[in-house]
């Protein structure tokens, strides 16, 4: 179980949630079950590999943060060397599965996402800039592309739009969590935006990204020619999310008290928003 914890299963669940629905959308129906299984396994191993490398590199700060200090490496349950071997094994197995049973393009995209998360976000951006999660979050957008290419073997504008939705969703989602744990990040000198800027400034940025995210989600309708289900669901979900983002901004005005701001409300809502939006992506072609 300690090794499983290194892979951050909740992150894997979220990434797969943006992979499988896109496969339904790309197939305009139910995709081949064997292809889905291979893509899910390959994607899960790839995401798990990236998370393991992240845990190894960040073990020094994880040991000091309340949210992460009970992970296996800070508790010395697993050695860094053993974790590295595990991470490489997952990455190699992922590439073999995707290359052999899906297609080379999907395998290459998966390797690219893994490399960007480890080298781009974890090693380069996370400890150096307050915009770390904006650009580092690109790695988490790749599953939309991988799900599409797994079915079609090529890229198109529809998965690019969904890639952009996840890109603009990531800052509100992550900054809400970072507001909750800003003292942890401050203690270890990780310049997350809530560490270097007042809560209200962060909330304003969350509102801006939320508006762009909702607008981008609606672009899928004309670009991909969806049926009526998707734009209705996207519109309703987007309206609810925007209300909550603006409520967060109002609570943060003139206050740094987390009990007043309640950022975790938006964090949990963001998970629900993305989940239901991509469920709508999967269901839309089935109802046409």
């Amino acid at each position: 179980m300690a090794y499983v914890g290194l892979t951050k299963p909740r992150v894997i669940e979220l990434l797969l949630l943006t992979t499988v629905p896109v496969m339904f959308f790309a197939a305009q129906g139910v995709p081949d079950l064997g292809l889905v299984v291979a893509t899910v396994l390959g994607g899960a191993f790839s995401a798990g590999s990236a998370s393991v490398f992240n845990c190894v590199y960040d073990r020094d700060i994880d040991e000091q943060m309340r949210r992460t200090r009970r992970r296996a490496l800070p508790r010395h349950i697993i050695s860094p060397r053993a974790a590295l071997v595990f991470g490489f094994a997952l990455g190699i197995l992922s590439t073999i599965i995707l290359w052999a049973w899906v297609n080379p393009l999907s395998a290459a995209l998966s390797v690219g996402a893994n490399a960007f998360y480890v080298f781009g976000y974890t090693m380069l951006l996370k400890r150096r800039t307050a915009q770390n999660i904006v650009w580092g979050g690109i790695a988490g957008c790749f599953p939309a592309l991988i799900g599409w290419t797994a079915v079609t073997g090529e890229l198109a504008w529809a998965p690019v739009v969904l890639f952009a939705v996840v890109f603009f969703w990531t800052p509100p989602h992550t900054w809400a969590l970072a507001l909750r744990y800003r003292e942890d990040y401050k203690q270890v000198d990780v310049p997350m935006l809530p560490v270097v800027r007042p809560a209200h400034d962060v909330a304003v940025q969350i509102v801006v990204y939320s508006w762009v995210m909702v607008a981008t989600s609606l672009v899928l309708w004309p670009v991909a020619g969806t049926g009526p289900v998707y734009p209705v669901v996207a519109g309703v979900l987007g309206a609810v999310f925007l209300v909550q983002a603006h409520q967060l901004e109002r609570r943060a005005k003139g206050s740094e008290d987390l009990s007043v701001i309640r950022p975790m409300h938006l964090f949990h809502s963001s998970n629900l928003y993305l989940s239901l939006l991509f469920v709508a992506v999967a269901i839309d072609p089935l109802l046409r």
Side-chain angles (χ1 to χ4, degrees):
M1 288 302 293
Y3 280 96
V4 173
L6 289 178
T7 65
K8 302 181 184 177
R10 290 184 180 178
V11 174
I12 292 176
E13 289 173 10
L14 192 61
L15 293 177
L16 294 180
L17 182 66
T18 57
T19 303
V20 177
V22 176
M23 296 183 72
F24 277 75
F25 194 70
Q28 288 297 292
V30 181
D32 178 78
L33 179 59
L35 183 64
V36 172
V37 171
T39 306
V40 166
L41 281 177
F45 289 156
S46 178
S49 171
S51 293
V52 171
F53 291 136
N54 172 267
C55 286
V56 172
Y57 189 82
D58 280 347
R59 64 188 185 278
D60 58 331
I61 60 176
D62 282 351
E63 194 166 0
Q64 302 176 57
M65 296 176 64
R66 288 174 300 164
R67 187 172 65 87
T68 57
R69 63 190 177 195
R70 293 195 60 79
R71 288 175 178 171
L73 285 168
R75 295 171 63 195
H76 307 288
I77 296 174
I78 298 172
S79 70
R81 181 178 180 180
L84 280 174
V85 171
F86 181 54
F88 277 114
L90 287 177
I92 293 169
L93 186 58
S94 163
T95 305
I96 291 173
I97 291 172
L98 291 173
W99 190 283
W101 286 285
V102 182
N103 58 58
L105 177 56
S106 297
L109 288 169
S110 179
V111 171
N114 193 324
F116 190 87
Y117 182 75
V118 175
F119 296 108
Y121 172 65
T122 302
M123 299 179 69
L124 180 63
L125 295 170
K126 183 174 181 178
R127 306 192 194 199
R128 289 180 171 85
T129 172
Q131 295 298 305
N132 48 21
I133 198 60
V134 176
W135 303 110
I138 288 175
C141 306
F142 272 79
L145 304 181
I146 294 169
W148 182 275
T149 58
V151 173
T152 67
E154 60 185 12
L155 289 170
W157 282 113
V160 171
V161 171
L162 292 171
F163 178 103
V165 170
V166 180
F167 176 80
F168 292 117
W169 168 88
T170 301
H173 169 76
T174 308
W175 286 335
L177 182 67
L179 271 170
R180 168 66 178 81
Y181 291 102
R182 63 185 175 184
E183 293 303 320
D184 275 6
Y185 288 111
K186 184 178 181 180
Q187 178 182 337
V188 295
D189 295 322
V190 173
M192 298 295 287
L193 190 64
V195 173
V196 301
R197 301 296 300 171
H200 185 252
D201 289 359
V202 177
V204 169
Q205 288 293 307
I206 286 175
V207 168
V208 171
Y209 273 93
S210 297
W211 273 99
V212 178
M213 174 193 73
V214 173
T216 304
S217 72
L218 295 172
V219 171
L220 186 66
W221 179 20
V223 166
T226 71
V229 172
Y230 174 79
V232 170
V233 173
V236 172
L237 290 173
V240 172
F241 193 91
L242 288 173
V243 168
Q244 294 180 327
H246 278 280
Q247 288 175 339
L248 175 70
E249 185 271 331
R250 285 195 294 272
R251 293 194 299 267
K253 190 175 293 185
S255 176
E256 294 290 327
D257 188 346
L258 292 179
S259 65
V260 174
I261 300 172
R262 303 197 300 277
M264 293 303 287
H265 285 200
L266 187 70
F267 173 77
H268 294 304
S269 293
S270 68
N271 285 329
L272 186 61
Y273 168 85
L274 197 70
S275 301
L276 294 179
L277 185 74
F278 274 81
V279 167
V281 168
I283 290 177
D284 185 89
L286 300 177
L287 298 180
R288 280 187 277 157

